[in-house]
Amino acid sequence: MHNLEQQFLKELDDKLWQAADKLRANLDAANYKHVVLGLIFLKYVSDAFEARQAELLERFKDANDDIYYLPPEDFDSDAEYREELGEELEVLDYYREDNVFWVPKTARWSTLKEKAVLPVGTVLWQDAAGRDVKLRSVSWLIDNALDEIEKHNDGLKGILNRISHFQLENDKLLGLINTFSDTSFTRPVFDGQTLNLQSKDILGHVYEYFLGQFALAEGKQGGQYYTPKSIVTLIVEMLEPYAGRVYDPAMGSGGFFVSSDKFIENHAGKQHYDAAEQKKHISVYGQESNPTTWRLAAMNMAIRGIDFDFGRAPADTFLNDKHPDLRADFVMANPPFNMKDWWNESLADDARWKYGTPPKGNANFAWMQHMLYHLAPAGSMALLLANGSMSSATGGEGAIRKRLVEEDLVECMVALPGQLFTNTQIPACIWFLTRDKSGGLSPNKVKKRARRSEVLFIDARNVGYMKDRVLRDFSAEDIATITDTFHAWQKGESDAQGAAYVDIPGFCKSATLDEIKKHDFVLTPGRYVGAPEQEDDGEPFADKMAWLTGQLKEQFAESERLEAEIKRNLGELGHALD
């Protein structure tokens, strides 16, 4: 992205977040995110609608447009012509044919901004029965807009959170509306230049930024719906979901789907395909048990125009699988680590436990087997889990892990550094599994080599940088290093820098199933990659050892001298006090 665009988005993030953060005096983070994200959604759909409206108006007046042109000479007067243009601009089909949400007049941002400043009790408009509709509060006005949008767009029914029950003061909401209004989301200008950013790009960016900020504000609870962007990007870059069915059984706010969408856009030029056309070949499926998080995900998809199937309602993935017949080409998930309260006796003989019944007190291998159950014959999956999943033998986990290795399902293990998550300090890893290591073309038409009885181990615990005193992150270069290593090994080709795969002590190792068996099927990368090679300074070992021994003796002598000096000073201090 151009530096000027990055600066614009950074300043926009700061400005909007400062406005939204003022609500924290009235609401906790878990609630005020719904107010703010609801307004962001309203702003987006209204901007998209008005942009389409402006485009239609130009086409109605363009004599070269054989489909939409309305000749002025066909009308008796300018007034009649303008009236006809106005009526045509309100034809719903014009918007649906371009995949733009229909926004009724009473729900448009311009109406919201105009009516929100009026005194409570003011007549706003008349309903279908001719009755006066009066302003009750600004939150009611916002909820009314959400009601109208849901009513006219089947894909949005039941997914928009209402805000009236939060009982926010009118002036607080009015401040947010004014701040959100004070930005051009269609053709933004920054530093005197018009930027090449569309409403969808800007609002999608702001939405993602806000989700991250809310996760930080909420602490542990926030992590239930938000996976750090860099980890999501890493997984998507490694799996390369160009086409096919993508599934996340613990989807949170839908970060993996958004990243898949961006992946297709970002790689269009490199792979010589049309991004818009390619997106028609991918479909997303998800499930989430938390009702508010389920709605967040649906809104997240709607903002970006991603078609989705999240089931008709939120539900427990284990007890009420919303996609029982789905066999996905790509499965990605970041479920709650070491989840304890998941078991139900109805799951005892479940068909999903093909490799062993998971322990009742830990859902890690339940998530893994659920995902494998939904994986297509040539599919690939990635699962974020706590590090304990790589070595634990309690509750039958060791036996399940052994079966997975022996069945040759494990493709790659990545150990992650600590402090990547906002909600937990538990060290984590990524499991990459696949049903097919035979080589050939994958569902996304990527050529892979035969990799039977091989597993790649990547130890990325020392990769990344501290973005602040608390959180660690990956740079684009860090992600590329891990991804290129995986692809060079997986495809048997050179990576982006032209280097073929080689084992790197301390970082990566391609191990055989026999080697894994010798380690009792423990999959911790550190056991396989070994220690990094030390740089040879040319000094003979014997000479170096003699020098180090001499240095150690000198330090011991200095330590004894300092200890004697301290005792002498303490003795003199004691005499002085007497």
Side-chain angles (χ1 to χ4, degrees), residues 380-574:
S380 298
M381 60 173 268
L383 173 62
L384 268 164
L385 286 179
N387 275 0
S389 63
M390 298 188 289
S391 58
S392 171
T394 59
E397 289 185 338
I400 297 173
R401 187 172 54 251
K402 178 183 176 184
R403 285 280 308 277
L404 296 174
V405 173
E406 290 177 335
E407 298 271 349
D408 208 11
L409 294 167
V410 182
E411 180 167 34
C412 178
M413 299 295 301
V414 180
L416 297 172
Q419 296 178 271
L420 282 172
F421 297 87
T422 59
N423 62 320
T424 181
Q425 294 304 310
I426 297 175
C429 61
I430 311 174
W431 290 66
F432 288 88
L433 291 88
T434 182
R435 287 195 179 281
D436 184 8
K437 292 186 184 178
S438 63
L441 286 178
S442 64
N444 54 358
K445 310 303 180 189
V446 173
K447 180 74 169 66
K448 299 179 183 178
R449 70 179 180 88
R451 310 171 306 290
R452 294 187 183 94
S453 301
E454 295 179 41
V455 176
L456 177 65
F457 291 91
I458 297 177
D459 190 345
R461 288 177 297 172
N462 295 318
V463 177
Y465 66 97
M466 295 302 295
K467 62 188 297 187
D468 55 39
R469 291 186 301 172
V470 179
L471 287 175
R472 195 174 186 90
D473 205 356
F474 286 145
S475 67
E477 291 74 21
D478 295 329
I479 292 171
T481 297
I482 299 170
T483 299
D484 290 346
T485 299
F486 177 59
H487 289 162
W489 173 85
Q490 185 187 55
K491 301 173 186 178
E493 301 170 352
S494 300
D495 64 13
Q497 282 69 48
Y501 173 81
V502 291
D503 291 340
I504 301 174
F507 178 65
C508 63
K509 162 73 174 177
S510 180
T512 64
L513 297 192
D514 286 339
E515 289 176 274
I516 296 172
K517 183 178 180 180
K518 290 177 183 177
H519 286 279
D520 293 325
F521 299 95
V522 170
L523 298 179
T524 307
R527 289 201 176 200
Y528 300 89
V529 303
E533 290 182 344
Q534 299 298 314
E535 186 175 342
D536 185 4
D537 56 9
E539 185 178 359
F541 176 77
D543 294 346
K544 186 182 294 185
M545 193 65 189
W547 178 81
L548 288 172
T549 302
Q551 284 285 97
L552 187 60
K553 286 181 179 178
E554 289 179 13
Q555 289 173 2
F556 280 150
E558 178 67 8
S559 175
E560 289 176 5
R561 187 190 69 77
L562 290 173
E563 184 179 355
E565 183 73 15
I566 291 169
K567 287 179 179 178
R568 185 181 64 78
N569 289 336
L570 287 173
E572 291 178 357
L573 180 61

Side-chain angles (χ1 to χ4, degrees), residues 19-34:
D21 208 34
K22 293 176 182 177
L23 288 180
R24 291 181 71 175
N26 302 76
L27 292 170
D28 61 31
N31 289 326
Y32 82 93
K33 71 170 176 279
H34 299 301

Side-chain angles (χ1 to χ4, degrees), residues 33 211-228 250-253 288 290 293 334-337 384 420-424:
K33 71 170 176 279
L211 283 173
Q213 290 299 103
F214 285 130
L216 285 172
E218 289 184 56
K220 186 173 182 179
Q221 289 299 110
Q224 292 181 357
Y225 62 82
Y226 184 77
T227 304
M251 67 183 180
S253 58
E288 172 61 44
N290 185 296
T293 307
N334 172 27
F337 291 171
L384 268 164
L420 282 172
F421 297 87
T422 59
N423 62 320
T424 181

Side-chain angles (χ1 to χ4, degrees), residues 327-347:
R327 297 297 178 266
D329 301 296
F330 303 96
V331 185
M332 301 175 278
N334 172 27
F337 291 171
N338 303 322
M339 190 169 127
K340 292 180 173 60
D341 300 323
W342 73 279
W343 180 259
N344 185 288
E345 288 305 320
S346 64
L347 298 171

Side-chain angles (χ1 to χ4, degrees), residues 14 28 39 48 64 120 174 231 235 287 310 337 351 369 386 502 507 544:
D14 293 342
D28 61 31
L39 277 173
N64 295 317
V120 172
L174 187 58
I231 300 179
I235 288 174
Q287 185 157 345
F310 294 164
F337 291 171
Q369 293 191 82
V502 291
F507 178 65
K544 186 182 294 185

Side-chain angles (χ1 to χ4, degrees), residues 17 19-39 139 142 161-170 172-173 176 214 217-218:
W17 178 253
D21 208 34
K22 293 176 182 177
L23 288 180
R24 291 181 71 175
N26 302 76
L27 292 170
D28 61 31
N31 289 326
Y32 82 93
K33 71 170 176 279
H34 299 301
V35 177
V36 175
L37 295 177
L39 277 173
S139 58
I142 294 169
N161 281 306
R162 308 303 191 265
I163 69 168
S164 292
H165 58 281
F166 294 131
Q167 298 180 336
L168 282 166
E169 297 172 6
N170 287 343
K172 297 284 186 184
L173 291 171
L176 269 182
F214 285 130
E218 289 184 56

